[in-house]
Amino acid sequence: MYIMPKLDYNYDALEPYIGKETVYIHHTKHHQTYLDKLNKILDSINFNYSISIEKLLYNIEKIDPSIRQEVINYGGGFYNHNLYFKIMSPSNIKEPIGIIKEKINNDFGSYDKFKKKFIENATSVFGSGYTWLVLDEDKLKIINTKNQDSPLLMKLIPLFTIDVWEHAYYLDYQNKRMDYINNFFELINWEEVNKIYEEIKHNLQ
Ligand code: MN
């Protein structure tokens, strides 16, 4: 079965931007439930779990159509949350560093232009979904997805994401989703994003 990656920080580590109760419920209830349901549906087809969740979603067409939508929903719910929790941290590095800084400057003009576009995208998500920074071939793009759809399904390579489902922010921000989206930029772990940039293509092979 797939297993829950360990959180690299305590439940209260993202305060004051995201509260302890939000992180606790989001991780131990929402995230955990997606994982449990994914394992259950994959067990039902005697899946051998020999490939990563990234590879499973990237090659979704290989999954039997009778369970494919459930794998998209629960596998996406598992993977998307893995990435969301992985790329946040209480780090003091507040702006891009390393290769990702170069790529952002190159593909968006500047960090400020990138940030503005990302915030516009995230604000425009209607209903439940995510905004992503992805690699399309070698170019960075910002995209939105609905529900638990993952960019991996579209052969795009995710670098980081913000979860804009209400459960991600409602306890802390109620209807003020814009404040949550703005504060998310205080939490991005740019060292981790660089690491993902270096490693994810390799992980899909
Ligand atoms: Mn969520």
Side-chain angles (χ1 to χ4, degrees):
M1 57 168 61
Y2 288 116
I3 56 166
M4 184 63 88
K6 208 178 150 307
L7 263 192
D8 295 328
Y9 43 81
N10 294 328
Y11 293 123
D12 63 0
L14 305 181
E15 290 185 347
Y17 307 113
I18 304 178
K20 181 181 180 179
E21 197 181 2
T22 299
V23 177
Y24 177 76
I25 294 171
H26 202 171
H27 187 253
T28 65
K29 309 291 181 194
H30 295 277
H31 193 182
Q32 185 69 48
T33 302
Y34 286 117
L35 172 59
D36 293 345
K37 289 187 172 175
L38 175 66
N39 283 329
K40 195 173 171 196
I41 191 78
L42 291 175
D43 284 347
S44 77
I45 57 160
N46 296 315
F47 185 73
N48 69 9
Y49 299 95
S50 62
I51 58 169
S52 67
I53 182 63
E54 286 88 347
K55 220 168 166 178
L56 175 74
L57 293 169
Y58 195 75
N59 297 293
I60 194 68
E61 67 280 356
K62 293 183 183 160
I63 298 293
D64 191 286
S66 67
I67 62 157
R68 193 178 294 159
Q69 190 58 48
E70 285 167 291
V71 173
I72 288 171
N73 293 345
Y74 304 138
F78 174 51
Y79 166 76
N80 298 347
H81 285 102
N82 289 353
L83 185 66
Y84 171 70
F85 285 120
K86 189 79 186 166
I87 57 82
M88 292 191 291
S89 83
S91 160
N92 287 323
I93 302 172
K94 301 292 185 190
E95 292 198 3
I97 52 170
I99 181 77
I100 202 72
K101 178 181 176 177
E102 284 174 38
K103 287 290 294 173
I104 283 175
N105 286 337
N106 197 52
D107 294 352
F108 295 99
S110 68
Y111 174 61
D112 284 347
K113 284 182 187 165
F114 158 75
K115 188 173 168 182
K116 187 165 174 276
K117 188 166 164 36
F118 192 95
I119 289 170
E120 278 170 9
N121 265 59
T123 309
S124 76
V125 172
F126 185 76
S128 298
Y130 293 78
T131 296
W132 304 80
L133 178 66
V134 299
L135 265 179
D136 182 2
E137 303 292 334
D138 273 329
K139 195 162 169 53
L140 293 179
K141 285 189 179 161
I142 297 167
I143 65 161
N144 291 345
T145 58
K146 302 287 292 173
N147 303 318
Q148 293 296 351
D149 286 357
S150 174
L152 290 164
L153 303 170
M154 300 160 242
K155 309 283 188 198
L156 298 171
I157 298 178
L159 298 176
F160 72 77
T161 188
I162 181 170
D163 182 344
V164 287
W165 284 56
E166 280 192 349
H167 65 235
Y169 64 87
Y170 206 82
L171 289 175
D172 300 312
Y173 295 92
Q174 292 81 44
N175 60 317
K176 298 189 230 43
R177 185 166 73 171
M178 185 65 150
D179 292 350
Y180 161 66
I181 293 167
N182 276 304
N183 284 339
F184 170 73
F185 281 85
E186 302 295 321
L187 296 170
I188 298 171
N189 182 345
W190 292 104
E191 282 174 319
E192 193 60 42
V193 177
N194 273 301
K195 209 191 281 179
I196 291 164
Y197 180 86
E198 300 289 349
E199 291 173 359
I200 190 163
K201 276 192 181 173
H202 178 73
N203 288 343
L204 291 172
Q205 281 161 11

